């Protein structure tokens, strides 16, 4: 696959649309100047274009395999991972106390986007480790932080997240894995976990598993769950990987896509582990990692959308087929192909804006000097997280599907690579809580945490953009964005008025999508105003005419209630 990192577009979105340059004005991120950020992104682009992208097809054709109890990865992955680790890319946002760079999460998100565009299967490995680093920084005992985090930051060791069991998927509280205290501060962990990304491999010297399990006498449900760190190889007195722990992969999932990423069934057979956080605090600790991963997975969807868009546009500019209305020599001149390419570009830009804005808010929640400002950004970031995850992954799926369509019959032929994008990205809408769960989180916990204040604050930001667009000569954009903003306000008021959560949940997916499209139009309008470029204005007008009206319709669907969903008995839904 040929991939060109869109560094200029990424910087424009971060700086001109979202305003991430404000981070350099804080004490915490004072060194993250525009010049430093540009230099880092340029180096990351070289790695992604020259090392990772050539492996994307290899990962699909030569999957990871389980041999004699050890997972062997795609040829070339180990060397590429070594270059990721040695370049310091795993620990970009980690604390300097543990060897990290201490850079903004928003910059790490941009690098992660490039890596996922270039080779999604391999990029999952450092992404999981980054989430584990954050969880250990917040919840682990000092000795664990001192021993494990520097090795995770350096990439010598990698991290995983072990939640799902055959009977306990989204219902995490149904898990059966047991943890028994040994009396020496360690615990014996016994159980089976499934769908464990990079649960075993041969690209690093040790693997650190975060495992949810239940202590003796713990209450049922999520309140009885604790979190444990279980290494593949137990460190010796010098901190080096020592004896093998009683944890092993017993199978690899045969997946629709992401063949280069080993997804393991893991057996814990009295494995030695250590408690992370308090007893019964497993879900709170794991959610630190999961929230990091939710934004990360949304970025994966965005990344595949970018890569699929590049491939489709290149194909459209070389494929000759029929006469075109504008006399172009290739299919890029056909109106319907142009419609698809415009939609791909606009929706990718929308998803990028949501993800970058979310990351910026989470950074400001840590870096702002004023406590009230930190709280405001924390609430803003929390509200944007499920939108970034769900819309980013939906965008990856939809744009990859359009990419196949642009290729025509050749899109269905594996050699072109267009189909791989669709297969690889499909699971992202399921990862880290399905997109339906993200939507229910948005209308439930995220609206409830502040009575809708974060939502109303964002609506006010969009209203300001409406005024600016009207004054800036983008009247049709202002009109469409204003209608979407008003519709979102009505839907938000309706959601907050519902005391029956089933009523909210029935329209949750529509509500989230409405927000994403409205925010996307807001970002495109800001980009057009900031640049003054005719192309950006054209993209904003395209979205205003063809995408923002969807937000108004989705507002009505969000307020439809639950009655129609339950009008047919469940047993009759199959026809």
């Amino acid at each position: 696959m040929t991939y060109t990192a869109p560094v200029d577009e990424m910087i424009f979105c971060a700086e001109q649309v979202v305003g991430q340059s404000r981070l350099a004005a804080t004490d915490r991120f004072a060194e993250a100047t525009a010049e430093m950020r540009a230099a880092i992104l340029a180096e990351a682009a070289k790695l992604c274009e020259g090392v990772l992208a050539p492996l994307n097809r290899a990962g699909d054709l030569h999957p990871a395999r389980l041999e004699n109890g050890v997972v062997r990865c795609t040829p070339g992955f180990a060397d590429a991972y070594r270059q990721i680790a040695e370049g310091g890319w795993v620990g970009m946002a980690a604390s300097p106390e543990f060897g990290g760079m201490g850079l903004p999460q928003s910059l790490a998100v941009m690098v992660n986007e490039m890596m996922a565009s270039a080779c999604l299967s391999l990029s999952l490995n450092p992404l999981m480790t980054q989430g584990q680093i954050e969880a250990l920084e917040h919840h682990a005992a000092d000795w664990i932080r001192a021993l494990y985090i520097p090795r995770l930051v350096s990439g010598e060791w990698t991290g995983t997240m072990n939640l799902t069991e055959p009977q306990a998927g989204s219902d995490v509280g149904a898990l059966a894995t047991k943890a028994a205290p040994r009396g020496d501060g360690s615990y014996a962990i016994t159980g089976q976990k499934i769908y464990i990304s990079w649960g075993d491999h041969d690209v690093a010297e040790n693997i650190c598993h975060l495992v949810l399990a239940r202590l003796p006498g713990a209450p049922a449900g999520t309140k009885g769950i604790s979190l444990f760190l279980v290494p593949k190889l137990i460190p010796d007195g010098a901190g080096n990987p020592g004896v093998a722990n009683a944890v092993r992969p017993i199978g690899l999932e045969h997946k629709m896509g992401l063949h280069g990423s080993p997804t393991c069934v893991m057996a814990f057979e009295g494995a030695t582990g250590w408690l992370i956080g308090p007893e019964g605090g497993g879900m709170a600790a794991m959610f630190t990692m999961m929230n990091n991963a939710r934004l990360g997975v949304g970025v994966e969807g965005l990344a595949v959308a970018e890569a699929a868009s590049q491939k489709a546009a290149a194909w459209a500019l070389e494929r000759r087929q029929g006469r075109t209305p504008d006399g172009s020599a290739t299919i890029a001149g056909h109106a319907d192909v142009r419609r698809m390419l415009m939609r791909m570009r606009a929706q990718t830009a929308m998803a990028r804006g949501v993800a970058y804005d979310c990351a910026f808010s989470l950074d400001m929640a840590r870096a702002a000097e004023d406590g009230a400002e930190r709280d405001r950004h924390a609430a803003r970031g929390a509200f944007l997280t499920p939108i970034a995850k769900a819309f980013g992954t939906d965008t990856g799926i939809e744009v990859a599907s359009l990419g196949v369509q642009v290729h025509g019959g050749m899109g269905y032929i594996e050699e072109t690579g267009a189909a791989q994008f669709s297969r690889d990205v499909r699971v992202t809408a399921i990862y880290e809580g399905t997109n339906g769960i993200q939507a229910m989180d948005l209308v439930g916990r995220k609206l409830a945490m502040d009575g809708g204040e974060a939502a109303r604050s964002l609506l006010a930001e969009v209203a300001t953009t409406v005024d600016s667009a009207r004054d800036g000569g983008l009247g049709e954009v202002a009109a469409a964005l204003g209608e979407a903003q008003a519709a979102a306000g009505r839907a938000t008021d309706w959601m907050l008025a519902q005391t029956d959560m089933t009523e909210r949940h029935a329209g949750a997916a529509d509500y989230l999508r409405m927000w994403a499209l409205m925010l996307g139009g807001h970002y495109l309008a800001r980009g057009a105003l900031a640049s003054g470029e005719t192309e950006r204005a054209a993209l904003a007008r395209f979205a205003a005419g063809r995408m923002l009206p969807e937000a108004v319709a989705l507002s009505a669907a969000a307020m439809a209630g639950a009655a129609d969903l339950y009008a047919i008995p469940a047993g009759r839904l199959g026809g």
Side-chain angles (χ1 to χ4, degrees):
M1 166 193 166
T2 300
Y3 165 70
T4 301
V7 174
D8 290 344
E9 184 64 27
M10 297 167 79
I11 291 175
F12 179 84
C13 180
E15 303 292 347
Q16 301 300 317
V17 176
V18 174
Q20 289 183 5
S21 57
R22 287 173 283 173
L23 290 169
T26 67
D27 289 340
R28 181 170 188 143
F29 298 125
E31 295 182 359
T33 61
E35 294 76 15
M36 173 189 276
R37 291 157 65 91
I40 287 173
L41 292 175
E43 286 302 309
K46 293 177 184 176
L47 172 70
C48 294
E49 295 170 357
V51 178
L52 302 189
L55 292 172
N56 194 51
R57 186 69 175 147
D60 195 48
L61 295 175
H62 306 286
R65 61 194 189 281
L66 180 60
E67 294 181 348
N68 299 319
V70 177
V71 172
R72 305 296 182 189
C73 291
T74 300
F77 271 28
D79 180 64
Y81 175 78
R82 178 185 56 78
Q83 293 187 56
I84 292 171
E86 291 179 353
W89 302 112
V90 179
M92 285 182 63
S95 170
E97 177 185 355
F98 302 108
M101 296 185 188
L103 292 169
Q105 178 69 18
S106 52
L107 184 57
V109 158
M110 297 165 78
V111 172
N112 288 345
E113 180 194 332
M114 290 188 211
M115 289 188 182
S117 286
C119 185
L120 181 58
S121 287
L122 180 55
S123 73
L124 288 172
N125 185 318
L127 181 69
M128 299 303 298
T129 302
Q130 289 168 355
Q132 185 171 117
I133 290 168
E134 185 169 357
L136 294 181
E137 282 185 348
H138 282 84
H139 302 287
D142 288 345
W143 74 268
I144 290 178
R145 296 165 76 219
L147 173 60
Y148 284 84
I149 296 180
R151 291 161 176 83
L152 292 166
V153 166
S154 69
E156 298 170 70
W157 299 356
T158 65
T160 73
M161 178 167 55
N162 291 249
L163 290 80
T164 308
E165 300 178 8
Q167 79 294 340
S170 299
D171 183 12
V172 179
L175 67 82
T177 298
K178 305 292 185 184
R182 286 197 165 123
D184 61 356
S186 71
Y187 297 78
I189 312 299
T190 303
Q192 187 180 108
K193 301 289 183 176
I194 62 173
Y195 305 153
I196 309 307
S197 297
W198 286 89
D200 196 72
H201 57 76
D202 57 358
V203 307
E205 66 179 12
N206 203 3
I207 304 168
C208 307
H209 304 287
L210 280 181
V211 185
L212 290 179
R214 199 179 300 278
L215 287 163
T222 57
K223 292 182 179 180
I225 295 174
S226 300
L227 182 65
F228 301 86
L229 178 63
V230 182
K232 176 181 179 179
L233 302 174
I234 301 174
D236 62 19
N240 299 312
V243 300
N245 206 347
V247 53
R248 61 192 177 93
I250 58 174
L252 289 181
E253 308 288 2
H254 299 283
K255 300 175 295 183
M256 174 180 175
L258 288 179
H259 297 153
S261 171
T263 303
C264 302
V265 179
M266 301 297 299
F268 296 84
E269 300 163 331
T272 299
W274 290 270
L275 184 67
I276 303 299
E279 293 185 8
M283 289 304 295
M286 185 61 89
F287 262 110
T288 300
M289 185 173 184
M290 285 188 68
N291 281 329
N292 179 295
R294 283 174 173 173
L295 174 57
V297 171
V299 171
E300 289 174 1
L302 156 65
V304 172
E306 174 64 40
S309 295
Q310 289 189 20
K311 179 174 281 291
W315 174 263
L317 289 170
E318 68 179 41
R319 176 67 168 167
R320 296 172 181 267
Q321 199 81 172
R323 292 184 179 182
T324 61
D326 63 356
S328 301
T330 69
I331 63 170
H334 288 296
D336 192 58
V337 174
R338 190 65 65 87
R339 173 192 64 83
M340 290 188 285
L341 293 175
M342 286 287 285
R343 177 106 191 186
M344 294 167 79
R345 179 172 173 181
Q347 192 163 334
T348 301
M350 287 176 161
R352 182 175 285 122
V354 175
Y356 286 15
D357 203 359
C358 180
F360 167 71
S361 295
L362 297 175
D363 279 331
M364 287 298 290
R366 295 184 296 160
E369 295 181 10
D370 178 69
E373 186 179 4
R374 287 196 301 273
D375 291 344
R376 180 174 65 83
H377 280 289
R380 191 175 188 276
F383 188 84
L384 287 172
T385 294
I387 303 174
K389 192 277 179 181
F391 186 62
T393 56
D394 282 346
T395 293
I397 292 166
E398 293 163 19
V399 169
S401 180
L402 284 172
V404 172
Q405 194 71 15
V406 170
H407 280 77
M410 290 303 295
Y412 204 63
I413 304 302
E414 288 289 353
E415 284 76 6
T416 65
Q420 184 186 342
F421 290 130
S422 282
R423 291 186 288 102
D424 284 354
V425 77
R426 185 58 185 86
V427 72
T428 61
I430 300 169
Y431 273 162
E432 309 306 334
T434 65
N435 286 359
I437 288 174
Q438 304 304 316
M440 290 189 290
D441 177 52
L442 180 66
V443 302
R445 186 178 347 185
K446 298 305 164 58
L447 276 179
M449 66 183 180
D450 60 2
E453 183 57 35
R456 293 193 175 100
S457 178
L458 278 165
L459 287 169
E461 290 182 34
V462 176
T464 299
T465 299
V466 171
D467 293 338
S468 298
R470 186 179 299 112
D471 295 340
L474 296 173
E476 62 271 63
V477 175
L481 184 57
E483 290 178 6
Q485 190 265 2
R490 292 192 297 272
T492 297
D493 290 341
W494 185 90
M495 286 288 178
L496 288 167
Q498 306 309 306
T499 56
D500 183 348
M501 290 308 296
T502 301
E503 295 295 305
R504 292 195 194 189
H505 291 168
D510 299 304
Y511 182 77
L512 185 150
R513 178 77 172 203
M514 172 203 70
W515 264 99
L517 291 174
M518 179 196 65
L519 288 172
H522 158 70
Y523 299 128
L524 291 178
R526 290 189 64 168
L529 292 167
S531 68
E533 297 173 9
T534 56
E535 280 194 14
R536 293 191 187 278
L539 203 63
R541 290 190 177 98
F542 172 86
R546 296 175 181 263
M547 301 177 76
L548 287 179
E550 296 173 21
V552 178
L554 286 163
S555 171
M559 297 184 287
D564 60 336
L565 301 184
Y566 293 90
I568 298 176
R572 294 289 303 152
L573 291 176

